[in-house]
Amino acid sequence: MHFINQIAMSAALKADASQGGFAAFWEDVCRRFESTFITEDRWKMFLDGLLKTVQITLFAAVLGLALGFLVAMVRSTHDLTIQGKKSSKFGDYVLKFFNFICNIYITVIRGTPVVIQLLIMYNIIFASSRNAVLIAILSFGINSGAYVAEIVRSGIMSIDKGQFEASRSLGFDYKNTMVHIIMPQALKNILPALGNEFIVLVKETSVAGYVAIMDLTKVGNTIISRTYDAFFPLISVAVFYLIVVLILSFFLKKLERRLRNSDH
Amino acid sequence: MTTNQDVLIKVDGLRKDFGDLQVLKGIDAEIKKGDVMVVIGASGSGKSTFLRCLNLLEEPTGGTITFEGVDITDPSVNINKHRQKMGMVFQQFNLFPHKTVLKNMTLGPIKLLNMSKKEAEEKAMELLERVGLADKANAYPSQLSGGQKQRVAIVRALAMNPDVMLFDEPTSALDPEMVGEVLEVMKKLAKEGMTMVVVTHEMGFAREVGTEVVFVDEGVIVEQGPPKEFFENPKSPRLKDFLSKVL
């Protein structure tokens, strides 16, 4: 970071020499850059914030995927096997019950803002815990799970009924039909939508500051409140998010291409 | 009369409702070992539903289906075990698009019959050889023509060593020039003694290959008999009317 000081100093010297407007502007830019990133080692705050954002996103995504698949399984198994049928088997009632719970989960989560869910988790449900990051991971994971569930379910339902029938006619049970025939095809179809969900998730974590987490966005705001200068903090926070999303998109595209190559 | 042991599938009073719509209104039938039963009828007559009830892809509303001595409509029966013995071929082929031809054929034998991969692949190649598609073993279904897809679908079902093959309008989705190659495979199969139930509009096939032809109309069997008798001397007016339209 030393060279930036030098640049600033040389710029200042030049400004004295020529009395030019550009040099004064350049000096100003350098000074603001310094107060945003270098004073008090603030770049470390950005780095910490970025890591926190990535950390929350990653764990929330894993939780969301697991929850989403589970809920999608319950919902589509219900829809495919017992919907509209009169049945008296005990297992069917259990499935109906879980399907009911899943419906409530999806309705409530999708029907309320994620910030409110986060605040409820932090201030009411886990009021005794101050592990904000863990609570944020839980909140965003549970939130994402509802969306993933609907994406996965739509993927399963998009597979032609003939695929089920062909598999069942060979003698596969419902579970093996799902594992070997339906899910591999559904997964490929929903990958773009899942990728989109993760990209949304990255940016949704920007409200984590509401529960005193120093994530990327919160760091930006904190630095603005110290320097009274919004330009560099906000622009750099935006750029950091963009970079995270670009990296994520890159890997998603790679995965998509690989899956597409596995058939024609 | 044949002894009971020769009867592979026995259908008694089979009924199937879709909501308020009665599709099958009580069907009795017997399929003996080596039989080629051809089921014909107008669309909407219930002939496909009848076939799909035989392996319980459609759950019957009433009646029983006895397959190899077991009432498979009994809820306590593990239907998956019995379906392994009933191969099925669909109008829309229903090959698994994410798997190669060979994988389509070996998935069942490996997972359900506990065959080794090597054994299953050898058997699959043998079958592919028989239908002239050995060179397509590593192709994906989307790279095949309709006729090729249906031939693969047939050998995929055969790879499970079924005791009976159910064909649900196997040539109806094919381009006309590909119908022949699929019927050819089916004829060969019949000649080898495979028990078959075939729902089709191919009257030529029914006449030539069928041992028993069944005419289904409005959810009941209106007339049935050996093909010669059936086609040359139809008795019921409805069958006469139907034959006059399709022949």
Side-chain angles (χ1 to χ4, degrees):
Chain A
M1 291 297 152
H2 190 65
F3 73 98
I4 291 174
N5 284 326
Q6 280 183 333
I7 292 170
M9 264 154 61
S10 65
L13 287 174
K14 268 192 207 144
D16 281 339
S18 66
Q19 303 289 320
F22 174 76
F25 169 75
W26 179 242
E27 183 192 8
D28 184 47
V29 166
C30 291
R31 190 180 47 70
R32 286 163 68 183
F33 184 91
E34 190 188 339
S35 70
T36 301
F37 290 104
I38 293 155
T39 313
E40 298 175 355
D41 276 348
R42 283 176 189 151
W43 59 275
K44 276 188 187 158
M45 290 174 70
F46 277 106
L47 190 65
D48 285 346
L50 179 65
L51 287 178
K52 208 144 262 176
T53 291
V54 170
Q55 180 195 9
I56 292 171
T57 306
L58 270 182
F59 285 107
V62 171
L63 179 62
L65 265 182
L67 256 177
F69 269 88
L70 197 71
V71 171
M73 277 302 149
V74 172
R75 299 245 298 149
S76 47
T77 302
H78 173 268
D79 290 1
L80 289 169
T81 58
I82 62 170
Q83 195 178 41
K85 276 189 201 161
K86 275 185 220 137
S87 175
S88 51
K89 271 189 272 180
F90 176 71
D92 292 351
Y93 285 115
V94 174
L95 184 56
K96 265 183 194 165
F97 173 73
F98 278 114
N99 182 57
F100 178 69
I101 300 286
C102 290
N103 278 336
I104 290 179
Y105 161 68
I106 289 172
T107 307
V108 170
I109 295 296
R110 293 202 306 176
T112 54
V114 67
V115 189
I116 303 301
Q117 290 164 22
L118 180 65
L119 288 172
I120 288 173
M121 289 282 265
Y122 187 73
N123 292 314
I124 301 174
I125 298 175
F126 294 109
S128 58
S129 163
R130 290 298 89 170
N131 191 340
V133 172
L134 192 64
I135 292 170
I137 287 171
L138 269 177
S139 301
F140 291 118
I142 290 171
N143 181 271
S144 183
Y147 292 92
V148 171
E150 286 301 89
I151 293 171
V152 174
R153 194 174 69 96
S154 77
I156 292 171
M157 291 311 191
S158 74
I159 302 302
D160 182 56
K161 212 172 97 228
Q163 293 290 311
F164 281 95
E165 292 183 346
S167 174
R168 298 305 300 270
S169 78
L170 283 172
F172 283 105
D173 57 13
Y174 179 83
K175 191 192 112 210
N176 277 307
T177 298
M178 274 293 164
V179 171
H180 296 294
I181 307 302
I182 306 302
M183 285 316 286
Q185 297 182 59
L187 214 57
K188 201 181 62 177
N189 291 351
I190 63 174
L191 203 63
L194 274 185
N196 192 46
E197 168 57 25
F198 293 144
I199 288 170
V200 169
L201 182 61
V202 174
K203 293 172 293 176
E204 262 184 356
T205 61
S206 62
V207 297
Y210 272 86
V211 294
I213 294 172
M214 283 298 259
D215 75 317
L216 193 49
T217 302
K218 183 77 175 176
V219 165
N221 272 333
T222 307
I223 290 174
I224 292 172
S225 70
R226 288 189 199 165
T227 61
Y228 301 106
D229 179 13
F231 182 81
F232 273 112
L234 286 185
I235 296 296
S236 46
V237 164
V239 168
F240 283 134
Y241 277 112
L242 189 60
I243 289 170
V244 172
V245 170
L246 283 177
I247 291 171
L248 189 60
S249 311
F250 171 78
F251 284 112
L252 283 167
K253 216 171 259 171
K254 237 181 161 172
L255 188 63
E256 231 175 279
R257 204 170 311 139
R258 204 149 105 197
L259 283 180
R260 205 179 318 135
N261 282 348
S262 77
D263 70 23
H264 300 265
Chain B
M1 289 299 324
T2 53
T3 64
N4 231 0
Q5 276 189 325
D6 287 321
V7 177
L8 199 59
I9 304 177
K10 192 169 185 321
V11 181
D12 283 305
L14 179 63
R15 286 188 294 107
K16 174 68 187 175
D17 303 343
F18 289 109
D20 291 333
L21 183 70
Q22 288 186 302
V23 180
L24 300 179
K25 299 170 187 164
I27 288 197
D28 302 304
E30 258 184 23
I31 298 142
K32 297 192 272 307
K33 267 188 193 126
D35 266 1
V36 178
M37 178 187 271
V38 181
V39 185
I40 62 171
S43 44
S45 60
K47 58 189 192 307
S48 273
T49 307
F50 164 64
L51 188 79
R52 291 159 55 81
C53 278
L54 291 182
N55 68 352
L56 261 62
L57 276 188
E58 302 289 356
E59 219 171 296
T61 311
T64 59
I65 297 163
T66 312
F67 175 58
E68 296 180 329
V70 181
D71 175 11
I72 56 173
T73 54
D74 182 346
S76 65
V77 162
N78 179 7
I79 185 63
N80 298 317
K81 272 273 168 256
H82 297 284
R83 279 188 182 137
Q84 293 175 12
K85 294 270 134 211
M86 308 169 110
M88 188 160 195
V89 176
F90 301 85
Q91 185 176 350
Q92 298 297 338
F93 327 127
N94 296 342
L95 296 179
F96 306 134
H98 61 302
K99 291 184 183 297
T100 61
V101 166
L102 198 63
K103 289 258 168 64
N104 261 279
M105 295 178 64
T106 55
L107 186 69
I110 292 173
K111 300 276 179 211
L112 298 170
L113 305 180
N114 293 320
M115 252 187 225
S116 72
K117 187 166 177 256
K118 188 166 163 279
E119 195 186 347
E121 284 181 354
E122 274 168 14
K123 173 122 203 280
M125 286 311 296
E126 212 174 281
L127 284 163
L128 281 174
E129 206 92 50
R130 274 170 55 187
V131 296
L133 289 172
D135 56 326
K136 300 288 184 193
N138 292 312
Y140 283 93
S142 61
Q143 297 167 309
L144 306 178
S145 73
Q148 290 172 333
K149 279 182 200 168
Q150 197 60 300
R151 281 186 279 160
V152 171
I154 292 172
V155 286
R156 177 176 72 181
L158 286 176
M160 292 294 290
N161 276 327
D163 293 335
V164 59
M165 287 282 285
L166 312 175
F167 291 85
D168 188 6
E169 302 198 28
T171 57
S172 297
L174 294 174
D175 290 339
E177 75 265 27
M178 290 169 183
V179 170
E181 62 190 67
V182 171
L183 290 181
E184 208 47 55
V185 170
M186 291 167 63
K187 274 182 210 167
K188 242 204 279 183
L189 203 55
K191 236 177 248 162
E192 287 162 13
M194 175 60 78
T195 312
M196 295 160 66
V197 184
V198 185
V199 171
T200 187
H201 295 291
E202 295 291 330
M203 295 304 147
F205 178 84
R207 204 192 286 249
E208 195 185 328
V209 186
T211 55
E212 181 91 354
V213 187
V214 174
F215 175 60
V216 176
D217 194 39
E218 290 179 2
V220 291
I221 293 179
V222 175
E223 193 164 336
Q224 73 181 94
K228 198 166 153 57
E229 177 78 8
F230 184 90
F231 285 108
E232 282 167 17
N233 194 12
K235 289 175 189 71
S236 71
R238 276 192 289 180
L239 176 57
K240 279 179 192 165
D241 183 47
F242 178 76
L243 288 177
S244 73
K245 281 178 192 151
V246 297
L247 286 178

